[in-house]
């Protein structure tokens, strides 16, 4: 058996390399068009009415991951409700804790993240060009779009929304961010923190408690700005549970708003 | 064409659902054992000497993602060098900027992250049990391990290392963290921030500049603790470029140390 364990390592390493190089179509190779049609409740004929081949279909699936742009809008509307009868710092804490709870508990959001990370694993793969009518006169070829370009647009849109939220918060409090940060760099950091915490929470729920996102974000913002936030006074989930903005009724209301927007 | 666009949406949604439910083996279905053997430079016979079937091989590939536990060790040794002739806050900034540059530029690290996110997309999938000798007397069945369990162990190990680093920093400065944070919760937040920033940086390099990780981490730590860090005085990459710890020679030295440890 001498040398066997090294060969085994070589084989496993080869698998990791090939996994990384796998063409995107191969990911769906195990899924037949019949299975897709059945899942969608249509005929196989209908499938080929809409997609010329599996390559075109795969590209459409990848480009469909352009969702989940709602949570910051919800956070802002929750904030408007909350700010009526609280200090700004309490309102921000309440919104952040509530936002995290909704995101962490939402099966649709979790499925979106799994799908996005599937795309991330293949972010360097080029997508076939979007369908154009071949009977039209030839147009100059568009620059090649990759899977990562789709993800990049999703992330930029999310950062835009976080930026808008924080700008609104700052204007409410007549505050500005301290050098060297600006609102957009704060939003990039908060977005990355949220993305990372969602991933860690999915595989290790015990690692991320309900308050961590709120505390880290509020602390980050307070340190970078002149907000009237005292990090030690970020409200805990238990404290928030005693207030009306996060009663079960209010939480299910926030979730209902999220669901409604998802259906639109 | 009435109703067609809705059918198309149904088809795409079905694909997203199926993508998420895809058995892990199917990911490697496009990769033949012959291709694996060729990539590893061994014969197909050798493949089946080591793995009974593709299911066992796939599980071995998943479990192999137990790498990349080195960067924090490197950061600590860099810190020890740097702290000889700097203030603590400058040393921390230097280590964080250098760490980020190494991670962001390292193709092996990027491939690891893509592989890990591939696993994350399938984190709920159960792995077949590890190989046991069938001639041995039957043992009680082990609890089912999932792909997510492999990722969770990787993440916990990384958080352990970050915790140890920050505890060392705090003891160097005779400092302690402010309530309600403790060192481990700070480490969870820093780990999640790093994970999120690496993902965003991979698909949108312009969004994350060299200083963002260092500034956000140092700000987070300073706000949560009684460190002598002034967030506005976190050194920029340009400033660090003028010091000896991040000359091209020193950076290639840090990279060389990283490479050496990877080979061990």
């Amino acid at each position: 058996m001498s040398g066997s364990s090294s060969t085994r390592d070589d084989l496993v390493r080869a698998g990791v390399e090939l996994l990384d190089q796998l063409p995107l179509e191969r990911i769906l190779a195990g899924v037949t068009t019949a299975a897709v049609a059945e899942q969608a409740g249509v005929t196989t004929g209908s499938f080929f009415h809409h997609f010329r081949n599996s390559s075109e279909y795969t590209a459409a699936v990848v480009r469909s991951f352009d969702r989940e742009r709602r949570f910051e809008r919800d956070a802002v509307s929750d904030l408007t409700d909350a700010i009526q009868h609280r200090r700004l710092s309490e309102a921000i804490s309440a919104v952040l804790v509530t936002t995290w709870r909704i995101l962490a508990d939402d099966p649709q959001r979790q499925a979106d993240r799994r799908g996005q990370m599937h795309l991330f694993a293949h972010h360097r793969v080029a997508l076939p060009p979007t369908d154009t009518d071949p009977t039209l006169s030839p147009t100059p070829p568009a620059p090649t779009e990759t899977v990562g370009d789709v993800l990049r647009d999703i992330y930029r849109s999310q950062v835009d929304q976080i930026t808008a939220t924080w700008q609104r918060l700052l204007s409410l409090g007549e505050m500005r961010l301290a050098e060297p940060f600006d609102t957009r760099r704060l939003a990039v950091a908060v977005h990355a923190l949220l993305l990372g915490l969602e991933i860690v929470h999915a595989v290790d729920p015990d690692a991320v408690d309900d308050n961590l996102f709120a505390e880290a974000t509020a602390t980050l913002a307070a340190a970078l700005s002149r907000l009237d936030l005292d990090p030690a006074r970020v409200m805990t989930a238990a404290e928030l549970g005693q207030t009306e903005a996060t009663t079960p009724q209010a939480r299910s209301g926030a979730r209902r708003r999220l669901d409604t927007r998802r259906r639109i």
Side-chain angles (χ1 to χ4, degrees), chain A:
Chain A
M1 288 292 270
S2 164
S4 279
S5 120
S6 158
T7 304
R8 193 178 193 285
D9 289 347
D10 289 346
L11 283 164
V12 169
R13 194 157 39 243
V16 174
E17 288 164 17
L18 288 171
L19 190 67
D20 192 45
Q21 297 159 14
L22 199 64
L24 193 67
E25 284 83 7
R26 289 296 177 86
I27 298 170
L28 283 176
V31 178
T32 63
T33 53
V36 170
E38 189 187 337
Q39 184 95 6
V42 302
T43 64
T44 310
S46 179
F47 180 95
F48 286 107
H49 177 70
H50 290 285
F51 302 101
R52 260 184 306 208
N53 49 46
S54 70
S55 170
E56 196 175 294
Y57 173 69
T58 305
V61 169
V62 168
R63 292 195 173 98
S64 78
F65 273 91
D66 187 11
R67 293 175 288 163
E68 65 159 303
R69 303 192 167 181
R70 298 145 303 245
F71 74 91
E72 281 296 330
R73 272 201 300 269
D74 286 287
V76 172
S77 60
D78 282 353
L79 178 66
T80 311
D81 297 345
I83 209 155
Q84 313 271 336
H85 37 75
R86 289 172 193 250
R87 291 202 314 136
L88 179 62
S89 61
E90 289 176 7
I92 293 173
S93 293
V95 170
L96 289 168
V97 170
T98 307
T99 300
W100 170 258
R101 279 170 168 169
I102 290 173
L103 297 183
D105 290 346
D106 182 351
Q108 179 61 47
R109 168 82 172 198
Q110 291 165 357
D112 274 355
R113 281 293 188 214
R114 287 195 299 274
Q116 283 185 8
M117 292 307 105
H118 214 143
L119 300 191
F120 177 76
H122 299 273
H123 71 81
R124 298 174 309 169
V125 173
L127 289 172
T130 45
D131 193 21
T132 50
D133 187 337
T135 63
L136 293 176
S137 61
T139 49
T144 306
E145 188 184 36
T146 65
V147 174
D149 292 335
V150 175
L151 264 187
R152 187 200 60 217
D153 291 345
I154 293 173
Y155 290 167
R156 286 190 179 174
S157 161
Q158 291 173 341
V159 168
D160 285 345
Q161 286 176 32
I162 295 173
T163 304
T165 302
W166 281 102
Q167 276 171 345
R168 182 159 166 198
L169 289 176
L170 293 170
S171 72
L172 280 171
E174 293 185 358
M175 293 164 294
R176 61 186 184 79
L177 289 173
E179 295 290 339
F181 264 77
D182 59 31
T183 319
R184 191 166 182 90
R185 294 186 83 222
L186 172 64
V188 170
V190 169
H191 172 251
L193 177 68
L194 181 60
L195 175 60
L197 283 177
E198 281 187 58
I199 291 169
V200 172
H201 178 263
V203 300
D204 193 4
D206 292 342
V208 185
D209 60 67
D210 267 3
N211 296 318
L212 188 59
F213 174 62
E215 285 169 13
T217 301
T219 304
L220 203 57
L224 296 171
S225 66
R226 294 173 191 164
L227 294 178
D228 66 332
L229 283 176
D230 174 0
R233 275 309 308 146
V234 169
M235 296 184 82
T236 65
E239 288 170 332
L240 287 169
Q242 296 160 2
T243 71
E244 79 293 338
T246 49
T247 57
Q249 291 79 359
R251 284 181 64 189
S252 76
R255 193 182 312 267
R256 205 158 47 238
R257 282 196 295 282
L258 200 66
D259 288 345
T260 306
R261 278 163 207 195
R262 179 162 297 125
R263 272 184 229 110
I264 292 168

